[in-house]
Amino acid sequence: MRAWSVTPGPVEAGGLRLVDRPVPAPGEDELLVRVRACGVCRTDLHVTEGDLPVHRPGVVPGHEVAGVVAGAGAGVRGFVAGDRVGVAWLRRTDGTCAYCARGAENLCPGSRYTGWDADGGYAGYTTVPAAFAHRLPPGLDDVAAAPLLCAGIIGHRALRRVSLPPGGRLGLYGFGGSAHLCAQIAIAEGARVHVLTRGAAARRLALELGAASARDVREPPPEPLDGAILFAPVGDLVPVALRALDRGGVLSVAGIHLTDIPPLRYESELFYEKELRSVTSNTRADAREFLALAARHGVRATTHTYPMARADQALADLKAGRFDGAAVLVNDG
């Protein structure tokens, strides 16, 4: 099969290379998945460019996979060839540590990740432990489903980390693949959403989706915020977002990578019991809850498709901010 392999460096300079690989063999507890579509996540860009050091030399990125079961290891039960499944970022945990025992498997020190520790979905086929495969909602095609499997799930966890009160005022800093899905859930649940982002197209999309306002990322929102989520991987925006919070407000940082945060001023940015929280991966329970909510509320990604053979261009376009919503790679056939 053809697959994209990471040689860390700028994506424009060949950090992602198209190579020939054998179709992977599933392990005892794994599914072999034929990739129909794979979302393009900013984490893929971080892995490609070395912001996140690769855990597997020449790794195939991609962890928003919508596909069908093409085979299974001898120990797998409950799946048959042709079943539609999704493959997400969290690939495996040890299941025995204190974090797993208390339902916080996203913090498991033994956790492993698709497209970082193991080859992912920028290819014709990938594998996934059956226990970490997700049944895709019926009625949702592969292109629509793919971005839900990371952008949607992580945005949902970030929203829950904000602890927004009913009818609360929510600020979203950055408005890409994850934020535009998170906004739909927040609005459906009664929040008043204010979007702060640099792109004019993204601001237009925010208003089309029902945001109460959409402004440049450096402007203050029109009212104090009960909570905010930072999706842009820009540490300089942390104090900006903290200053926009009302008393007792919470800022959650949704990305796996963030540039350095400048010094914070206690009086203007942290006092009055403001909180700064990080978001680390997700649990399978997060994924199940989000996929159910997405089906109930009709959450849909704004997608831009690329053939799998143009994954490098899709990542370059993501880096340059050339599209709103989410990019999705599509395999022919």
Side-chain angles (χ1 to χ4, degrees):
M1 68 178 186
R2 300 289 276 168
W4 288 93
S5 173
V6 168
T7 303
V11 65
E12 305 90 342
L16 199 62
R17 297 180 184 275
L18 192 58
V19 300
D20 289 310
R21 291 276 180 89
V23 173
E28 174 80 10
D29 65 345
E30 293 180 345
L31 300 172
L32 174 66
V33 177
R34 180 164 64 87
V35 178
R36 287 180 168 171
C38 184
V40 177
C41 180
R42 188 165 292 276
T43 300
D44 302 332
L45 181 63
H46 292 319
V47 171
T48 296
E49 298 203 320
D51 298 323
L52 297 175
V54 294
H55 288 178
R56 176 185 175 91
V59 70
V60 176
H63 55 274
E64 296 180 340
V65 177
V68 295
V69 174
V76 173
R77 301 290 182 270
F79 290 91
V80 298
D83 282 351
R84 292 183 69 227
V85 295
V87 181
W89 175 238
L90 184 66
R91 177 183 177 85
R92 193 183 290 276
T93 61
D94 63 27
T96 60
C97 70
Y99 304 101
C100 288
R102 73 184 196 212
E105 65 181 5
N106 60 308
L107 301 179
C108 174
S111 57
R112 296 292 181 267
Y113 299 95
T114 308
W116 196 19
D117 296 292
D119 289 338
Y122 284 27
Y125 292 84
T126 190
T127 62
V128 62
F132 288 80
H134 301 286
R135 304 274 186 182
L136 296 180
L140 199 62
D141 67 34
D142 299 318
V143 169
L148 303 184
L149 293 160
C150 178
I153 296 168
I154 292 298
H156 176 63
R157 185 171 184 86
L159 179 59
R160 294 296 177 250
R161 291 282 288 162
V162 166
S163 302
L164 199 68
R169 302 157 295 174
L170 176 69
L172 302 180
Y173 286 80
F175 202 70
S178 191
H180 90 292
L181 295 170
C182 174
Q184 292 176 60
I185 293 291
I187 291 168
E189 293 180 339
R192 191 157 63 252
V193 173
H194 301 287
V195 169
L196 298 307
T197 191
R198 65 181 183 175
R203 293 196 292 270
R204 286 195 297 271
L205 176 60
L207 294 174
E208 289 169 7
L209 291 174
S213 73
R215 298 183 173 187
D216 185 79
V217 72
R218 297 289 177 177
E219 293 184 46
E223 59 182 338
L225 304 172
D226 297 302
I229 305 173
L230 177 59
F231 288 100
V234 182
D236 285 350
L237 292 177
V238 169
V240 173
L242 286 170
R243 287 194 295 271
L245 294 178
D246 204 350
R247 300 181 181 208
V250 177
L251 170 65
S252 71
V253 179
I256 191 173
H257 170 77
L258 189 70
T259 58
D260 289 344
I261 300 172
L264 299 176
R265 296 186 68 247
Y266 180 70
E267 183 176 356
S268 60
E269 293 156 8
L270 286 173
F271 195 50
Y272 295 119
E273 299 192 354
K274 297 179 182 181
E275 296 184 44
L276 173 61
R277 299 177 180 175
S278 65
V279 178
T280 300
S281 185
N282 63 274
T283 67
R284 284 170 286 177
D286 292 330
R288 289 190 294 268
E289 180 179 306
F290 170 73
L291 290 172
L293 284 172
R296 182 187 313 158
H297 295 304
V299 172
R300 292 292 183 270
T302 296
T303 55
H304 306 270
T305 58
Y306 294 73
M308 186 64 73
R310 294 185 61 216
D312 54 346
Q313 185 62 57
L315 271 188
D317 289 350
L318 172 65
K319 181 179 179 179
R322 295 190 184 105
F323 55 78
D324 54 9
V328 180
L329 306 176
V330 179
N331 271 318
D332 295 331

